Amino acid sequence: MNTDSNEKVRREALKLLAQVEKQGLDIAERYRAGRVQASDYRGFRSFIEKVDHFYVFIDLVEERLPQFETDKRDALARHLAEIRWRITIVEVDTTQVFLVRIGEVNRPLPLGSRQFLERRLGRLDEIAEFYDAFGEKYHLTPLSEALVMAVANLLKAQIERAPALTDFATELETTAAPQRSATPALRRPEELAVSRRPAAAPPARPAGPALAPFRVREMGGRFYAERDSIGAVSEACRVSQVSMDQLAQRLGMSRPALALILSGTDAMSTGTLDGLRSFISAALPDLR
């Protein structure tokens, strides 16, 4: 990569860093002011989606760190780790508040909530791995073992009573196995269109600006997503009860790689484009 390209990547990284800092401050301020909705499933899930988007932006900045000089790169890596950890603490504490409150009211959980809660349980392992890798290096304040254990136990209790979605993709693979040879799982566009949507209608989208469609521009024979297209993908994930991580896996890539595509930074293959369009069309048939 030449000097001009390096400088462009560095400028993009600093712009993304500014967004990371803004989003992190917003989440932390809402948490301190008690404006984080953790009293019901829908409010908590909305909060987690916001936090997940925040982590995607951090991933995007970290992807670009190798383009900086060593001293600057190390300072940015420390800064990102500290910001990530502050929001992680908010995430875990809010998770505990949510679990305590839904345990008190004991209302039925919506269809598909088991997968969502299982993902929350898996997050505790990811958090522990992150702290093992960077906690001592960056002098991060450790999470209380009692808090983590309490959250894990509360999650396990709610998972037991939470209804799960049928994995239609797995059923189709099992049924069709005798009739065809094995193929890579969940890579083809038609397979991506098989979502994990519940039989009942999904939760209504919160009131707000109209959702932009998934738009793509072609440049030199390569396809790039418009920067506002991530909204359509995020909404399709919400409706389909599929996380951005799971969608990335279905497309055969990492979450940071998918984030780079959805931000319009990296080009996508025609297969990825077809897969994203099929996935969005299945989840949001009315979106034009």
Side-chain angles (χ1 to χ4, degrees), residues 52-103:
D52 281 346
H53 290 167
F54 165 80
Y55 291 143
V56 167
F57 274 100
I58 288 189
D59 290 342
L60 289 172
V61 180
E62 289 178 337
E63 288 274 322
R64 292 162 169 76
L65 289 185
Q67 305 306 322
F68 287 87
E69 295 78 9
T70 302
D71 291 346
K72 183 68 172 177
R73 181 173 66 242
D74 292 345
L76 285 173
R78 174 185 290 274
H79 185 50
L80 289 171
E82 290 171 345
I83 295 175
R84 188 192 292 268
W85 191 245
R86 284 199 293 271
I87 301 307
T88 296
I89 292 173
V90 171
E91 176 190 351
V92 174
D93 185 65
T94 303
T95 301
Q96 183 187 40
V97 172
F98 162 71
L99 292 167
V100 169
R101 288 179 179 174
I102 64 169

Side-chain angles (χ1 to χ4, degrees), residues 123-279:
R123 267 291 292 155
L124 296 179
D125 290 334
E126 295 173 2
I127 290 169
E129 290 172 1
F130 178 83
Y131 186 82
D132 288 343
F134 303 106
E136 184 175 346
K137 180 179 180 180
Y138 296 130
H139 306 291
L140 305 177
T141 303
L143 287 169
S144 163
E145 290 186 15
L147 170 64
V148 175
M149 184 63 69
V151 171
N153 289 336
L154 287 167
L155 280 167
K156 290 173 183 176
Q158 292 301 327
I159 287 170
E160 286 295 319
R161 75 181 191 90
L165 291 174
T166 301
D167 191 340
F168 297 110
T170 300
E171 287 188 356
L172 287 173
E173 289 288 324
T174 302
T175 303
Q179 285 77 38
R180 58 173 174 78
S181 59
T183 57
L186 298 174
R187 289 290 186 86
R188 301 194 305 274
E190 62 269 24
E191 290 176 314
L192 287 166
V194 180
S195 68
R196 298 188 177 198
R197 285 177 291 169
R205 181 174 180 265
L211 191 65
F214 180 72
R215 299 182 297 184
V216 175
R217 67 186 186 279
E218 184 177 356
M219 296 176 59
R222 307 180 75 189
F223 299 100
Y224 293 85
E226 295 289 352
R227 290 183 180 274
D228 58 359
S229 295
I230 191 172
V233 177
S234 297
E235 180 66 6
C237 286
R238 184 189 72 83
V239 170
S240 302
Q241 303 277 349
V242 172
S243 71
M244 198 69 77
D245 287 302
Q246 291 169 327
L247 177 59
Q249 290 172 5
R250 291 183 178 198
L251 292 166
M253 64 182 69
S254 66
R255 185 179 72 173
L258 177 58
L260 286 169
I261 286 173
L262 297 181
S263 69
T265 302
D266 283 0
M268 70 184 88
S269 67
T270 54
T272 298
L273 175 57
D274 290 343
L276 284 169
R277 281 176 169 166
S278 295
F279 176 70

Side-chain angles (χ1 to χ4, degrees), residues 18-36:
Q19 294 185 55
V20 165
E21 292 172 334
K22 184 178 183 300
Q23 288 187 23
L25 286 172
D26 178 61
I27 292 171
E29 179 56 34
R30 288 175 62 84
Y31 169 75
R32 283 193 294 267
R35 299 200 306 273
V36 171

